[in-house]
Amino acid sequence: MSSASNLAEKITDRPSGGRASRALSGPQKAAIILLILGETYGQAIWEDLEDEEIRIVSLAMSQLGSIEAELIESLMMEFVSKMSAAGSVTGDFDRTAMLLAKLLPKERAEAIMGEIRGPAGRNMWQKLGNVQDEMLAAYLRNEYPQTVAVVLSKLKPEHAARVLAILPEDFAADIVGRMLKMENVQKEVLERIEETLRVEFISNLSMTHRRDAHELMAEIFNSFDRQTETRFLTALDEQNRDSATRIRSLMFTFDDLTRLDPASIQTLMRSVDKNMLGIALKGAVESTRSFFMGNMSTRAAKNLEEEMSAKGPVRLKEVDESQTKIVNIAKDLAAKGEIMISKNRAEDELIY
């Protein structure tokens, strides 16, 4: 089941929470959660809802009126607690067929299950290319070296390199030697490997993988203004300190940008509007402000300080919005491979 499916199931369920949120119906709770998630984080969930569910939730949303902060906070705590407590799921071929038969027209369900059965290898290597390096390496380390050599030879070179680097050194060296000597793989052998990957790895991976709920909540909390973020984290500290601690560890904030390497911070500042940076730094702690100023020329830093002084007082909301935009720009640059960002301080240690 996809992460969107899991979330759709949770928000349309009736969680047992505080007194205030228990007064809401299931559709009302779903409507409030989807309003909080907004377009960016809620789109995948909307797409996973049935037409009738969309109609019911939309009707409830249109009739909500003004919702008090206390009620929103109570409902969010329910949502976080329920997502945190969710367990893993188990799937097999028969259960998948039964589920599709209930959800889809008979012809469509049979066509999808027919594709799962075969022919072996359809889009297999594209799917494998999207698997995380650690997951693929964990599976391959238990396979025969010759099988691993065939699999890695079918991947993109950069993907194969990352997986090889994770595998045990002797095992990886054996695989490299086999890849160097490898000739054309017989069709029957390749089909057998593809079918094994489909049945033992890809199918199980897609059925059991569920995105960590704390990662989703960290992204949502990153989008809150400072006061809202503090309010929710304080409330969560009282109800579930472990979840609050994990969410804090996963959040990437404006102050975390101080751990960018010199080349990355220069790339980021070239991509950020100077007016936006000035507003963001007005509300930053001294160490963060010094970090940005220290990565500018003396003249540029002086000009920025003068512009910041000329602005006078700015609203906290403007500071939060500017800092969030800069963090999002940094994440976009990192996704493109133009900069490197790290949330883990251990990864920033230098080895001489």
Side-chain angles (χ1 to χ4, degrees):
M1 186 179 291
S2 67
S3 58
S5 298
N6 280 296
L7 288 171
E9 181 179 325
K10 299 302 177 192
I11 67 172
T12 53
D13 200 357
R14 297 176 64 92
S16 56
R19 184 185 306 169
S21 61
R22 279 206 302 268
L24 296 171
S25 67
Q28 287 175 323
K29 293 178 181 180
I32 294 172
I33 291 294
L34 286 168
L35 282 171
I36 294 171
L37 293 177
E39 180 180 352
T40 301
Y41 301 109
Q43 181 178 356
I45 300 175
W46 280 108
E47 293 175 350
D48 217 66
L49 295 175
E50 300 291 339
D51 289 346
E52 180 63 14
E53 291 174 327
I54 292 175
R55 187 190 67 78
I56 294 173
V57 172
S58 298
L59 177 61
M61 186 179 292
S62 68
Q63 298 173 344
L64 281 175
S66 178
I67 304 297
E68 296 179 357
E70 181 184 356
L71 183 55
I72 295 176
E73 187 172 307
S74 175
L75 182 57
M76 284 294 290
M77 292 308 101
E78 283 186 28
F79 182 58
V80 173
S81 298
K82 186 155 189 177
M83 289 301 301
S84 300
S88 61
V89 296
T90 302
D92 55 29
F93 189 90
D94 291 336
R95 288 178 181 150
T96 304
M98 290 174 61
L99 179 62
L100 291 185
K102 294 178 180 178
L103 297 176
L104 302 175
K106 180 179 179 181
E107 295 78 9
R108 187 180 176 194
E110 290 179 349
I112 292 174
M113 294 310 299
E115 182 174 345
I116 292 175
R117 287 191 188 93
R122 181 181 296 173
N123 298 322
M124 174 54 58
W125 302 110
Q126 292 93 321
K127 293 178 181 177
L128 206 63
N130 293 324
V131 174
Q132 293 181 1
D133 307 331
E134 292 80 5
M135 289 185 179
L136 183 55
Y139 172 77
L140 292 178
R141 71 175 66 227
N142 297 314
E143 295 298 310
Y144 291 112
Q146 188 63 31
T147 300
V148 179
V150 173
V151 171
L152 294 184
S153 70
K154 299 286 288 184
L155 300 179
K156 291 182 179 180
E158 58 269 23
H159 193 188
R162 293 194 301 269
V163 174
L164 272 172
I166 298 172
L167 293 173
E169 187 172 346
D170 291 344
F171 188 51
D174 185 8
I175 293 166
V176 170
R178 291 171 184 268
M179 292 177 71
L180 289 171
K181 300 175 184 177
M182 188 181 298
E183 299 179 356
N184 291 333
V185 181
Q186 295 181 356
K187 181 180 178 181
E188 293 77 11
V189 174
L190 188 60
E191 287 182 348
R192 207 158 48 238
I193 293 175
E194 290 170 346
E195 181 62 18
T196 300
L197 286 169
R198 181 192 299 279
V199 173
E200 296 184 1
F201 184 56
I202 294 295
S203 295
N204 288 335
L205 183 69
S206 63
M207 291 179 184
T208 60
H209 177 68
R210 184 179 69 85
R211 185 183 183 190
D212 185 351
H214 295 86
E215 292 180 4
L216 171 68
M217 296 312 302
E219 291 182 8
I220 294 173
F221 278 38
N222 270 334
S223 299
F224 284 147
D225 61 67
R226 197 172 311 181
Q227 292 178 328
T228 304
E229 174 194 312
T230 301
R231 190 172 77 249
F232 277 119
L233 284 174
T234 300
L236 189 57
D237 271 327
E238 297 176 359
Q239 295 190 21
N240 192 333
R241 182 174 294 275
D242 289 342
S243 287
T245 300
R246 177 152 174 74
I247 288 172
R248 283 192 178 94
S249 71
L250 291 169
M251 292 175 66
F252 189 86
T253 66
F254 186 73
D255 290 334
D256 289 320
L257 294 174
T258 59
R259 290 200 287 277
L260 290 177
D261 61 82
S264 293
I265 189 61
Q266 292 296 328
T267 300
L268 174 62
M269 288 196 294
R270 285 195 298 269
S271 304
V272 172
D273 178 77
K274 291 298 182 288
N275 181 58
M276 181 193 301
L277 180 60
I279 294 175
L281 290 179
K282 280 187 75 73
V285 296
E286 184 58 38
S287 59
T288 301
R289 187 181 303 181
S290 298
F291 172 78
F292 277 90
M293 295 295 186
N295 279 281
M296 300 179 187
S297 66
T298 303
R299 181 178 178 181
K302 182 178 180 181
N303 289 340
L304 184 59
E305 286 182 337
E306 290 176 353
E307 291 176 10
M308 289 167 61
S309 297
K311 286 182 186 300
V314 295
R315 293 185 304 167
L316 179 60
K317 181 180 180 182
E318 293 181 69
V319 173
D320 287 340
E321 289 175 350
S322 295
Q323 290 186 355
T324 298
K325 287 178 181 177
I326 294 174
V327 168
N328 288 336
I329 291 172
K331 289 179 179 179
D332 289 340
L333 290 171
K336 297 175 183 176
E338 297 181 26
I339 69 172
M340 294 181 62
I341 60 177
S342 170
K343 181 65 178 165
N344 186 347
R345 293 181 184 272
E347 295 178 1
D348 300 323
E349 296 180 1
L350 298 178
I351 306 297
Y352 296 96

